[in-house]
Amino acid sequence: MDQFRDTASALRELTESMRLDEPRDDLLERAAKKVVGLLPGADAATVTLYSDNEPSTVATTDESLLPLDKAQYSADEGPCLEAAESGTIVRTRLETAAERWPDFAAAAEQLGVRTALACPLFVPDESHVNRRETEPLTGALNVWSFEQNAFDPVEAALVAMFTSAISAIILTASRWAAAEKQAETLVAALETRDAIATAKGIVMARLELNAEEAFRWLTDASQHTNRKIREISVLIAEDPGTVFGR
């Protein structure tokens, strides 16, 4: 029960400390650190994500273990890639890994890693922030241990629960951030429209022009001064005398 309570507490702390503007990879690094702190046998963790069908490590708690990920990427096989592609938890010991993934096993042996636990992860692709729907990236949270038989089934299930929750949290945060940005863009557009409409009315009254001529005048003024129409419009709306004289 203590492990479940600790996992729930770690998730709550991570969620409460989130900011909408926090970069995805920074949050993933903090999540990886939480997982290492939760599992007694965990010594480090990395996060692998696929982008354009290419895996890369976007977060790590120990850069000295990055060769573990790189060995898998080079060989196009290994526990973290299998977890990401299959959507299932992959736990392996060095002895077993040597038969299935020799390149990964060689890197693990050199670094002293004896057990690996990879859990699938699905998060939004930040390179597609301008799209209406955020496309998910597949990946895996990889936990490394120098112990021979680390990560029992209960611990593996807890990490899987943690990564599933993190995926949902990041997706929700991404959608909120996108909605907030869209709202800010809409407000700015409305403010720009109102400023231009006000300025156009002043130009019409001051220069005795119709609406089309007044807008053309604003466009010409923008080009001649190398300033945006909105800037010219705000200036006119706030103090017409600076443009037309008192």
Side-chain angles (χ1 to χ4, degrees):
M1 290 299 294
D2 287 344
Q3 287 180 309
F4 283 98
R5 185 163 52 248
D6 291 344
T7 301
S9 177
L11 278 172
R12 184 172 58 253
E13 291 174 3
L14 197 63
T15 303
E16 291 176 350
S17 65
M18 279 181 58
R19 306 185 317 273
L20 288 179
D21 61 345
E22 181 176 15
R24 179 202 62 201
D25 294 352
D26 289 356
L27 180 57
L28 288 172
E29 182 176 327
R30 293 204 293 126
K33 290 178 179 177
K34 288 287 187 183
V35 169
V36 172
L38 284 171
L39 301 184
D43 292 293
T46 58
V47 178
T48 295
L49 289 183
Y50 274 87
S51 181
D52 296 327
N53 295 320
E54 292 293 332
S56 64
T57 303
V58 299
T60 180
T61 64
D62 186 347
E63 292 189 358
S64 70
L65 296 186
L66 285 177
L68 288 170
D69 289 348
K70 293 178 180 179
Q72 296 178 76
Y73 305 156
S74 296
D76 195 27
E77 61 179 14
C80 78
L81 302 189
E82 182 169 314
E85 293 171 2
S86 67
T88 58
I89 302 171
V90 177
R91 177 187 177 276
T92 186
R93 292 180 300 129
L94 182 59
E95 293 78 1
T96 305
E99 300 175 3
R100 300 182 60 189
W101 309 299
D103 290 349
F104 163 74
E109 184 173 15
Q110 185 174 5
L111 294 169
V113 170
R114 312 298 295 178
T115 311
L117 179 68
C119 294
L121 191 65
F122 303 92
V123 299
D125 185 350
E126 289 190 332
S127 66
H128 295 156
V129 292
N130 293 324
R131 296 188 180 181
R132 185 178 297 275
E133 291 295 332
T134 304
E135 296 186 5
L137 285 175
T138 60
L141 174 65
N142 318 301
V143 193
W144 314 110
S145 176
F146 299 133
E147 296 180 9
Q148 183 71 36
N149 291 299
F151 316 134
D152 61 31
V154 172
E155 291 173 336
L158 288 174
V159 175
M161 181 182 74
F162 192 91
T163 54
S164 295
I166 289 300
S167 296
I169 289 169
I170 294 176
L171 179 59
T172 300
S174 177
R175 287 174 174 170
W176 271 107
E180 186 177 66
K181 186 174 182 179
Q182 187 175 30
E184 291 174 353
T185 300
L186 179 59
V187 169
L190 291 174
E191 291 177 347
T192 296
R193 187 191 66 178
D194 290 346
I196 292 175
T198 299
K200 189 166 67 173
I202 294 172
V203 172
M204 290 171 64
R206 290 288 187 124
L207 303 180
E208 298 182 352
L209 303 175
N210 60 34
E212 183 177 346
E213 291 169 339
F215 185 75
R216 190 181 303 121
W217 186 93
L218 288 172
T219 302
D220 291 341
S222 171
Q223 293 174 345
H224 292 155
T225 60
N226 197 29
R227 302 175 73 175
K228 295 181 179 180
I229 291 180
R230 182 181 184 279
E231 295 178 9
I232 296 293
S233 298
V234 169
L235 182 62
I236 293 173
E238 291 180 347
D239 188 1
T242 60
V243 177
F244 300 103
R246 302 294 177 184

